[in-house]
Amino acid sequence: GFDSRRFPVKFIVIVFIVLIIASLGSALVFLVNSPRGSRRVVKALALRVGLSVTLFLLLLAGHYFGFIQGKIF
């Protein structure tokens, strides 16, 4: 069934994953199309790393505060 308490968490995780994949894709496009020495690839990859770390910390906080239920192992 629909659990309104868990929906925002799932939505946030899906949005972050889509943003991470989009950032990775844009880095690939910049790598192929940009002139050598362009900083756009580095910025796109740094954004991806930042989004990944933020998602990880949000998942840890969500588990700690009880928004995410479940077993780790």
Side-chain angles (χ1 to χ4, degrees):
F2 180 74
D3 185 2
S4 62
R5 184 169 174 230
R6 292 185 68 177
F7 176 74
V9 174
K10 288 181 182 181
F11 180 74
I12 290 170
V13 169
I14 290 171
V15 167
F16 265 87
I17 290 173
V18 168
L19 289 173
I20 289 167
I21 292 170
S23 177
L24 190 59
S26 68
L28 178 64
V29 170
F30 294 151
L31 181 65
V32 172
N33 294 332
S34 293
R36 188 166 178 91
S38 175
R39 308 218 15 102
R40 295 172 78 181
V41 175
V42 175
K43 287 181 182 180
L45 291 175
L47 177 64
R48 186 194 65 83
V49 170
L51 288 170
S52 298
V53 169
T54 303
L55 176 60
F56 181 72
L57 293 175
L58 285 173
L59 289 173
L60 284 177
H63 183 70
Y64 179 78
F65 290 114
F67 292 113
I68 300 171
Q69 307 273 323
K71 300 178 187 177
I72 294 177
F73 293 103

